[in-house]
Amino acid sequence: MKEEKVDVAVIGAGAAGLAAATVIAAAGRKALVIDREDFPGGILRQCIHSGFGLKYYHEELTGPEYAERATIAAQKAGASFALGCTVTDIQIDMMGEFTLVLLSAADGVRKVHADAIVLAMGCRERNRGNIATPGTRPAGVFTAGSAQKLLNLEGCLPGKTAVIVGSGDIGLIMARRLKWSGMEVKGVVEIMPHPSGLARNIAQCLEDFGIPLWLEHSVTRIIGRDRVEGVEVAPLNHGEPDMSRSFTLECDTLLYSVGLIPETELAQQAGVLLDRDTGGPLVDANYETSVSGIFSAGNVLHVHDLVDFVSEEATRMAHCVLARLDGAPSAEKVGNEVGSNLKYVVPAFHTPGATTNFSFRPLIIADEALLRAESEGKTIWEKKLRFVRPAEMISVTLPGELLGHAPITFHLQDTATR
Amino acid sequence: MIYDVAIIGAGVSGAATAWQLSRYELKTILLEKAADVGFGVSKANSGIVHGGFHHPVSSLKARLEIRGNLMFEKLHHELGFPFKRCGILVAAFSEEEMSQVRKLYNQGIANGVTNLEMCSHERMLALEPKLNSEVVGGFYCPGGGTVEPYRYVFSLVEFAVRNGTELLCNWHLTKGEYLGDHWRLTAADGGIVEARYVVNAAGLFADEVSRSCGGEEFRIHPRKGEEYLLDRSSKGCPSHVIFPVPTKHSKGVLVIPTSEGTTMIGPTADPVDDKLDTETTSAHLRRILDQVRSMVNGISHRDLITSFAGLRPVLDTEDFYIAPSQKAPAFIQVAGIQSPGLTASPAIGEYVKDLLKGEGLRLMEKLHIEYELSPRHEARHETIENLDKLHDEDPAWTHIICRCEKISEAEIVEAVRKGHTTVDGVKFYTRAGMGRCQGGFCSAKILKIISRESGIPMQELTKRGGSSRILYGTLGDLEVRL
Ligand SMILES: Cc1cc2nc3c(=O)[nH]c(=O)nc-3n(C[C@H](O)[C@H](O)[C@H](O)COP(=O)(O)OP(=O)(O)OC[C@H]3O[C@@H](n4cnc5c(N)ncnc54)[C@H](O)[C@@H]3O)c2cc1C
Ligand SMILES: Cc1cc2nc3c(=O)[nH]c(=O)nc-3n(C[C@H](O)[C@H](O)[C@H](O)COP(=O)(O)OP(=O)(O)OC[C@H]3O[C@@H](n4cnc5c(N)ncnc54)[C@H](O)[C@@H]3O)c2cc1C
């Protein structure tokens, strides 16, 4: 059994893991990036469309190009890689040293000892079973991301005519991708009154191709015994399908794009507590989880819409990892909460006096809005925002001198004059 | 060649019959119309090894249930399929229900079921802290358990095949003629099999098979049951199977800790007309959730990972019909195998064997029988030391394909080599794709391995045979029109 010792074990070689390893290795620390896939890049590898990197690299890149840059940066900084390796277990000894168990075809069982761990495992897709779509269980039902993988990495066509369930970004990107592959796309069915993907994807992936978007509609039944033959769709009336106005769309393929869930099983196994609002690990202002020495960033922490934010977040986190390795104490924790119109805030704690970047997921659509931080009944900070959408994460930085010893509650208010 | 026995249908009934017969010097053939064995009713049920207290022993189904239940331990040890005697609790939530529970308990005692225990409110909660605290009382049947039904069928068939039984899948019987001393069976594709005895174990289609062989006229009425599976992490996973007080037509909606650590809730019981109607509906999901939440705490729709429905093959008599045909010679009917068919199946196999003997089939025990299937390795159950050793034999043991269930490439290869070449077949054999992501991450990898090992091109792989193709073709097959 192969054993080795590193300073930091990074689990996941997606945008988050790569950015973290780059910073950690550049500082002279031994960083090992582990990924179950044979190539680094994570989800980016299958995102062959462009639109990545405008913020982080100041250039419009495709997913694989972004992944390549991030990989080369990590390699240049001196990070090493363990690819084709699945982490199946994290053990913690009495001295706080971690042992990771890696399984791979190349090396069998391999043990990696580390002083710190970065969790960058990304997320998984919600599927048909999770939302319990009624009907038959034929072949031809895919999650949008798995269809993307089949098409972009394996060159396989899933079918001839598709309907997309849910208007998440992956589904929108796939609508266009299917069109480009010669498939017919009958439409996108979304239960919410607003799309859950980015506005630019609605325009570029649906509108440009004349693909209908049915908002406030639900797939009420899957039809077809062996292979999908169609779906029954009904408009929603106060949340309930109005069957008197239902209609059938014939198709042989269904793609689900109904949300992403942080991949936290390994984290939970290591004893890391989760944040109810994000589904990801609960972290402090250092991105350190409830288990001292385990840090987290990227989609496993909370689901991001832009990879650039993932790289930025992981970079910030990596500096905190370095500081902790150099002996800095763990962060003092004062709780943050979300009030009106916000789904979550990350990190869930701040440290008095430390300048902190906060990420939020809004629950409302507003062309103009006010984001406000409130502490001990007083507004301590506020910022005007434009074009707030649930599809788009909000990221702001609050100066350390405003962050005191009292908890902060964040509120979002629609301020557009109608 | 003329076989001694041809068994129509490779569900639990047919498979258990083959398992029994394979111990004797007989040439037996198992004929199944689906792409793999166990793809009928036997893959879509609650997986419970019932306790033997639900029906009076005057019924054949109760007698075989009680006998079958007792046979599971040994079978589990010999054949290695997942089985746990986790026990059953019947929970009452009113005094009225409590009097029903007492009747059930008395019936169990009368049936000769041992170790039954009447339980107070306190005892129920001590046994199962996840029960709703409003439980009035109930009873405990430690002899009940759960099994992975498809794995069980695979094991029975594997045992039979190991010991000389032949198996033909994609073999759809359309006609049977008795030629004076043997049967000539014809398949939809024109295939012919000849055998001296025929066992009709065709589940939902036993009426059609009987008719096409000139046997008795009867009708199988499908009774649908929807089931929903919850993630391993569900806080509502009890440590016993939880039953409500039963109704006339069903044992009610249950909370089941499966032998693989997930939680299942269901089934419903509704008559349907169509023998292929396995649709699930949101109204039933809601009803199931309401009913189980009133019994057990911590069950949430957020933990749902998948759903399915199965059809119980029911006769008007509500009992099993296992008997030599009075019309067709050398023909054994195994029909109406509704619940508790799974539980009863080992005893069904034995019973059918005895009926065949009664009809003149000579049974001579084989000198050499391979009683035990070689134990199967599963990466998720191995220690890392063992995994490292397995890796030395075959590196595929430490190549994890299905992350949610921790299934290695070696297990998938083994499934394909054992003849499971559909995606569902591999899933049922290995659990790959059965976890929380339902194959979202690994389906492309699994398709590639099945294709590589079976030689079937990716494009032609199916979910469960027939026209259930997974993919349409390759990029470039469709003309792009924008
Ligand atoms: C389909 C899609 C389209 C997108 N489109 C855009 C876009 O147009 N523009 C944009 O800016 N952003 C886009 N994004 C967002 C952005 O690309 C992602 O949020 C970002 O790449 C996520 O990076 P990550 O490192 O957190 O996760 P991932 O990229 O998912 O990486 C996680 C890695 O961890 C590995 N892993 C997990 N568990 C283990 C384990 N136990 N052992 C070993 N390895 C493990 C996984 O194999 C994976 O490689 C898109 C995202 C998706 C999914
Ligand atoms: C929802 C539900 C829950 C249940 N729960 C339980 C439980 O918890 N415990 C329990 O003990 N029992 C339970 N049961 C009952 C149990 O599942 C059945 O009794 C049992 O599976 C029946 O097995 P079988 O082999 O008779 O039928 P099947 O499994 O249907 O096998 C018949 C086979 O015959 C094949 N066939 C049909 N026609 C032809 C033909 N013409 N040519 C060739 N092959 C043919 C079919 O393809 C099929 O594979 C449940 C049933 C349902 C529906």
Side-chain angles (χ1 to χ4, degrees), chain B residues 8-15 31-34 36-50 171-174 201-206 209 223-227 254 256 267-268 308-313 320 334 337-344:
Chain B
I8 316 297
V12 286
S13 304
L31 302 169
E32 169 55 55
K33 73 172 177 189
D36 205 337
V37 305
F39 274 23
V41 185
S42 298
K43 73 163 189 320
N45 52 57
S46 308
I48 298 169
V49 173
H50 287 295
W171 204 98
H172 187 166
L173 177 99
T174 50
L204 287 163
F205 301 90
V209 166
R223 188 183 293 150
K224 179 149 79 172
E226 293 183 21
E227 311 254 16
L254 329 172
I256 306 155
T268 49
F308 63 86
L311 303 173
R312 306 168 184 85
F320 295 170
V334 186
I337 311 301
Q338 56 161 304
S339 185
L342 178 65
T343 313

Side-chain angles (χ1 to χ4, degrees), chain B residues 447-463:
Chain B
L447 288 171
K448 282 212 283 199
I449 299 170
I450 301 179
S451 174
R452 184 190 75 205
E453 292 298 318
S454 66
I456 305 170
M458 285 264 275
Q459 285 32 277
E460 284 169 29
L461 292 175
T462 64
K463 181 167 160 60

Side-chain angles (χ1 to χ4, degrees), chain A residues 56-171:
Chain A
Y56 198 70
Y57 289 111
H58 308 290
E59 230 184 290
E60 188 168 352
L61 305 171
T62 64
E65 284 169 343
Y66 192 107
E68 188 178 18
R69 292 218 186 172
T71 305
I72 290 173
Q75 284 166 336
K76 277 205 180 134
S80 41
F81 286 83
L83 299 172
C85 294
T86 301
V87 179
T88 55
D89 197 14
I90 298 175
Q91 294 152 4
I92 309 171
D93 74 9
M94 309 244 288
M95 309 297 293
E97 191 189 83
F98 300 103
T99 302
L100 287 76
V101 177
L102 279 57
L103 299 185
S104 68
D107 296 319
V109 182
R110 180 167 160 188
K111 282 188 175 178
V112 173
H113 305 283
D115 296 326
I117 291 181
V118 168
L119 302 173
M121 285 99 68
C123 53
R124 69 167 182 272
E125 297 175 275
R126 290 177 78 210
N127 56 43
R128 182 231 171 139
N130 298 143
I131 65 167
T133 309
T136 52
R137 276 160 305 286
V141 179
F142 302 86
T143 57
S146 66
Q148 183 177 50
K149 184 184 270 174
L150 279 164
L151 199 57
N152 291 347
L153 298 182
E154 306 296 337
C156 297
L157 265 185
K160 276 172 82 174
T161 312
V163 167
I164 294 171
V165 188
S167 59
D169 283 312
I170 318 177

